[in-house]
C-alpha cells in the first residue's frame, strides 16, 4: 500500500467563514486531506502532513446555518497554531481515528 492510499474516509464539509464546502475528509498513512466535492470550490482543498498536526479535537459550532449550525466541528490544530475546521457526522469517531496517528 502506498502512503497516499486512504486508511479512512468520512463525508465532511470544510468550514470557511460563513459557509461549509462539502467534500470528503481522508486519513492516509502520512496526511489528513480534504477533497472538495465540486471542482468549482477552487482553493478549498486541504492537505497536511501528520507531522505538522499538533492536535485534533472539538470546536463549538457558530450557530450559523450555512456553516454547519450549532454542531461541534473537528478542529485540526497545526504546529503554527492555525486551526482548520470541518463538519463531520461522527465527530468522536474521526477524532479517535486520527489522534493515535499523531504519535507515530
Amino acid at each position: 500500500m502506498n502512503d497516499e492510499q486512504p486508511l479512512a474516509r468520512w463525508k465532511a464539509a470544510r468550514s470557511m467563514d460563513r459557509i461549509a464546502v462539502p467534500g470528503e475528509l481522508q486519513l492516509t498513512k502520512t496526511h489528513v486531506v480534504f477533497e472538495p466535492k465540486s471542482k468549482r470550490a477552487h482553493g478549498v482543498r486541504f492537505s497536511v502532513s501528520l507531522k505538522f498536526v499538533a492536535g485534533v479535537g472539538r470546536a463549538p459550532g457558530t450557530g450559523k446555518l450555512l456553516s454547519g449550525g450549532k454542531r461541534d466541528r473537528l478542529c485540526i490544530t497545526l504546529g503554527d497554531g492555525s486551526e482548520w475546521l470541518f463538519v463531520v457526522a461522527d465527530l468522536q469517531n474521526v477524532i479517535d481515528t486520527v489522534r493515535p496517528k499523531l504519535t507515530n
Side-chain angles (χ1 to χ4, degrees):
M1 169 157 74
N2 88 32
D3 288 349
E4 297 311 311
Q5 283 294 108
L7 302 172
R9 299 172 187 249
W10 303 274
K11 284 186 179 181
R14 180 172 162 198
S15 293
M16 296 181 61
D17 195 23
R18 294 176 287 204
I19 63 167
V21 176
E24 182 179 75
L25 190 67
Q26 302 171 0
L27 174 65
T28 73
K29 198 172 181 179
T30 60
H31 286 76
V32 175
V33 178
F34 174 77
E35 291 288 350
K37 189 181 270 187
S38 170
K39 296 293 182 199
R40 291 186 299 172
H42 179 71
V44 298
R45 185 178 190 277
F46 171 84
S47 178
V48 65
S49 173
L50 291 170
K51 66 183 175 183
F52 296 118
V53 177
V56 176
R58 292 176 180 269
T62 63
K64 296 178 181 173
L65 180 64
L66 296 178
S67 66
K70 294 182 180 180
R71 294 172 56 191
D72 284 353
R73 286 149 177 65
L74 173 68
C75 180
I76 297 175
T77 305
L78 304 185
D80 66 0
S82 63
E83 295 180 335
W84 298 81
L85 303 175
F86 301 90
V87 177
V88 293
D90 191 357
L91 178 57
Q92 193 58 51
N93 173 267
V94 177
I95 292 169
D96 292 344
T97 303
V98 176
R99 192 173 280 158
K101 299 298 183 192
L102 302 182
T103 60
N104 294 340

